Amino acid sequence: MSGHSKWATTKHKKAGIDAKRGKLFAKLIKNIEVAARTGGGDLAGNPTLYDAVQKAKKSSVPNDNIDRAVKRGSGAEAGGVDYQGITYEGYAAGGVAVLIECLTDNKNRSAMEVRTAMTRNGGTMADPGSVSYLFSRKGVVVVPKAGGVDEDSVLLAVLDAGAEEVRDLGDTLEVVSEPGDMVAVRTALQDAGIDYDSADMGFLPSVQVELDEDGAGKVFRLIDALEDLDDVQNVYANYEVSDEVMEKIDA
């Protein structure tokens, strides 16, 4: 397992997914509301909303909840909240760089909760810009390995759609592109009949920090604490953990 993206970082927590389903649903709904408010409630004309809805459906969020979130965000139904995006930067154990993306209606609350989670779990906050330069904004489409889908078939499908590379993450493949090419990549996969789990904008690191068992445990605990916060949408970290170390942690 590698720590080069938030999708990979959640792999070690499968046992706790059910317990966190409520929080996950709330975060997915929040994404839908923000996307609808920013680009309108028409899925066909708002690729960000389309991807947010697809991700919610893949996570089994009820259709009624999704429809209401679209209506609230687009103004067709009352009750929407004006969420603001803010990114915090910091360091975890071993000098691992961490980016924390939040959607919040109270920036002071978010700042306090993130700082507390960092401090209690061996992390430190950093000044804006001191960590973000280690990451690049990319479009990332995650494709499950199922039904004969492999790296070659995905490469063939996305080769002319702007994809930069396809990464093998074990159970899934990660298609990386420039942010502006992500919709074309997702569409190319659909046209080829290849299903995908999610299509998101994310941050990928330019350098990675190799962690041992002790360091990995500390970093995972910090990420867990951050992702458990209601205002935190995504956590990115530039760590890398070998399969051997992961086996010891999962044992």
Side-chain angles (χ1 to χ4, degrees):
M1 187 193 79
S2 169
H4 58 248
S5 72
K6 74 182 176 65
W7 299 274
T9 66
T10 59
K11 190 174 176 183
H12 70 279
K13 302 183 301 177
K14 287 181 179 177
I17 285 178
D18 287 340
K20 296 188 177 183
R21 178 160 297 213
K23 283 185 178 291
L24 173 63
F25 280 14
K27 292 181 181 186
L28 293 170
I29 289 296
K30 192 184 288 187
N31 268 337
I32 291 172
E33 284 195 39
V34 171
R37 179 172 290 108
T38 304
D42 178 19
L43 270 66
N46 186 345
T48 303
L49 177 61
Y50 177 91
D51 289 325
V53 167
Q54 290 301 111
K55 188 173 183 180
K57 288 182 175 179
K58 295 276 187 183
S59 300
S60 303
V61 176
N63 286 332
D64 285 350
N65 295 33
I66 293 173
D67 292 341
R68 286 198 299 271
V70 173
K71 290 177 180 177
R72 285 195 303 270
S74 62
E77 182 177 297
V81 178
D82 185 17
Y83 295 111
Q84 295 179 295
I86 185 168
T87 300
Y88 298 101
E89 304 180 29
Y91 291 98
V96 170
V98 182
L99 285 182
I100 306 123
E101 285 187 328
C102 296
L103 281 178
T104 182
D105 59 349
N106 187 325
K107 289 187 176 182
N108 290 333
R109 180 191 65 222
S110 296
M112 181 186 69
E113 290 180 346
V114 168
R115 184 177 297 277
T116 299
M118 290 285 282
T119 302
R120 288 179 177 175
N121 292 278
T124 56
M125 300 297 290
D127 293 332
S130 59
V131 165
S132 57
Y133 78 95
L134 295 168
F135 297 81
S136 298
R137 188 88 166 151
K138 296 291 183 180
V140 182
V141 183
V142 178
V143 180
K145 288 183 181 177
V149 173
D150 58 17
E151 190 170 350
D152 288 340
S153 60
V154 170
L155 270 171
L156 188 63
V158 301
L159 202 57
D160 297 324
E164 294 181 350
E165 62 178 316
V166 177
R167 301 180 176 185
D168 191 334
L169 298 184
D171 296 332
T172 60
L173 297 165
E174 190 177 76
V175 186
V176 180
S177 69
E178 287 297 315
D181 293 325
M182 189 186 73
V183 173
V185 168
R186 181 247 289 160
T187 302
L189 289 168
Q190 290 174 315
D191 291 344
I194 297 174
D195 193 23
Y196 66 95
D197 280 343
S198 62
D200 291 287
M201 300 298 179
F203 287 98
L204 301 185
S206 55
V207 293
Q208 293 173 309
V209 178
E210 181 76 28
L211 295 177
D212 58 18
E213 184 179 354
D214 180 61
K218 291 177 180 177
V219 171
F220 289 172
R221 282 192 292 276
L222 174 59
I223 291 173
D224 281 344
L226 289 168
E227 290 186 338
D228 203 40
L229 300 177
D230 291 339
D231 291 342
V232 172
Q233 291 294 106
N234 303 308
V235 179
Y236 306 93
N238 71 336
Y239 68 84
E240 187 166 24
V241 179
S242 69
D243 291 338
E244 292 76 16
V245 170
M246 279 306 305
E247 287 175 7
K248 293 178 181 177
I249 293 174
D250 290 337

